[in-house]
Amino acid sequence: MARRHAVQQEETEINITPMLDIVFIMLIFFIVTTSFIKETGIDPNRPEAETAYKQERGNILIAVNEAGDIWMNKRKVELGQVRQLVEQAKNESPESSVVIIADQKSSTGALIDLMDQIRLGGVANISVAAELAGG
Amino acid sequence: MRHRVSSHAEEAEINITPMLDIVFIMLIFFIVTTSFVKEVGLDVNRPSNAPIKEQKISEVVAIRIDENGTISVQNREVDIRAVRANIESELATKPEASVVVISDRNADAGILVKVIDQARVAGAEKVSLAAMAR
């Protein structure tokens, strides 16, 4: 029984269906996992904490540096603008919570004023960024 | 042996090339913009200024931080390393008590976070934050 070679007259095209499947799965994966985090623009010295955990919904980042300046979306903002900016950010992604990245040396008063403004902006879930101790 | 009949199916196919172009562009866009970095942090409960409910002073574990960073638990001055043990013993006698951190406005935020962290290690689930009156 002689084995016949497959005739390759018509089937010269590469089958791209498996590649397409993978591309679509990747696309869906990236669409689902993407969260558009806006960087604050500065990188303060975070305090250390043992019980800190990953803030899965912390998409609104606000940083406070040593001098008490507030940074959001890569620019410095005044305390009075924070409320409006938080409201805007909340409109874009209503599920988000706010993470304040406060410098170790920043004053508590600045932090508390900022928290009150964020609450006025309509976000009640506020957390303070920290580094895992010993990590 | 079955003879294959060549069909005209190829001509009837929809051209998917433009869709593929768009899909690839979307794929690249999402790959580039995705950031998997999540901030690590502590939840802080900041009660609103409106009076909600009166808390009996016996049901509160108050931790004060003054402007020099000195910490006192229930008016006893303690070291940062002893905060946890102090809160644990307070919570053992008053299991229903809520922990409130009252901080001076000029105290460092780093100390505040450390105290909240220690309170959480000691077993306090909700730690509220208050500022000393100006």
Side-chain angles (χ1 to χ4, degrees):
Chain A
M1 203 175 347
R3 214 164 166 81
R4 264 177 57 178
H5 283 283
V7 186
Q8 298 209 330
Q9 288 170 348
E10 294 158 30
E11 301 287 321
T12 47
E13 269 178 26
I14 301 166
N15 188 4
I16 58 167
T17 319
M19 189 196 71
L20 273 188
D21 290 352
I22 292 169
V23 165
F24 267 107
I25 286 171
M26 280 170 71
L27 183 66
I28 291 164
F29 170 77
F30 279 106
I31 288 175
V32 170
T33 56
T34 298
S35 59
F36 298 94
I37 292 182
K38 284 172 183 158
E39 299 287 330
T40 56
I42 56 170
D43 191 22
N45 241 332
R46 295 167 174 77
E48 281 190 356
E50 287 169 41
T51 57
Y53 61 95
K54 233 179 209 179
Q55 301 289 334
E56 293 293 344
R57 294 195 165 165
N59 292 336
I60 308 171
L61 303 183
I62 303 172
V64 182
N65 72 4
E66 217 168 302
D69 298 330
I70 299 160
W71 284 72
M72 201 176 166
N73 298 353
K74 289 181 182 165
R75 61 200 168 86
K76 193 180 158 188
V77 296
E78 296 299 320
L79 184 64
Q81 294 174 274
V82 169
R83 177 180 174 175
Q84 199 193 347
L85 287 169
V86 169
E87 272 171 3
Q88 276 172 16
K90 202 187 177 230
N91 277 340
E92 282 168 23
S93 53
E95 298 276 290
S96 325
S97 65
V98 174
V99 179
I100 301 175
I101 309 167
D103 194 279
Q104 284 186 31
K105 297 275 164 59
S106 66
S107 78
T108 308
L111 192 65
I112 286 172
D113 289 343
L114 183 59
M115 279 180 160
D116 287 344
Q117 288 300 313
I118 294 165
R119 279 187 61 92
L120 288 174
V123 179
N125 289 327
I126 306 168
S127 46
V128 179
E131 264 171 35
L132 275 177
Chain B
M1 280 298 159
R2 196 174 293 170
H3 185 72
R4 271 182 81 171
V5 185
S6 80
S7 63
H8 292 278
E10 251 177 84
E11 283 166 32
E13 264 177 27
I14 302 164
N15 188 5
I16 56 167
T17 318
M19 187 193 73
L20 274 188
D21 290 352
I22 291 168
V23 165
F24 269 107
I25 286 170
M26 280 170 72
L27 183 67
I28 291 163
F29 170 76
F30 279 106
I31 288 175
V32 170
T33 55
T34 299
S35 63
F36 293 101
V37 186
K38 288 282 177 191
E39 281 293 332
V40 172
L42 293 171
D43 287 340
V44 180
N45 191 22
R46 171 81 178 129
S48 58
N49 285 332
I52 12 166
K53 52 171 184 181
E54 293 250 331
Q55 264 182 323
K56 285 179 196 160
I57 199 74
S58 59
E59 287 170 357
V60 171
V61 178
I63 308 162
R64 283 171 195 280
I65 306 168
D66 76 4
E67 57 184 347
N68 303 319
T70 318
I71 303 152
S72 42
V73 179
Q74 302 286 69
N75 295 329
R76 265 196 325 274
E77 199 173 293
V78 293
D79 189 79
I80 178 73
R81 285 161 294 185
V83 167
R84 177 184 165 186
N86 271 283
I87 297 171
E88 267 173 1
S89 61
E90 291 290 341
L91 284 176
T93 54
K94 302 183 274 187
E96 298 294 306
S98 58
V99 175
V100 180
V101 180
I102 303 157
S103 174
D104 189 277
R105 296 186 65 86
N106 294 322
D108 283 355
I111 292 168
L112 180 72
V113 171
K114 266 185 202 146
V115 169
I116 293 170
D117 182 42
Q118 291 298 308
R120 284 172 56 94
V121 172
E125 277 157 26
K126 266 200 161 179
V127 182
S128 302
L129 179 60
M132 275 183 200
R134 268 182 267 203

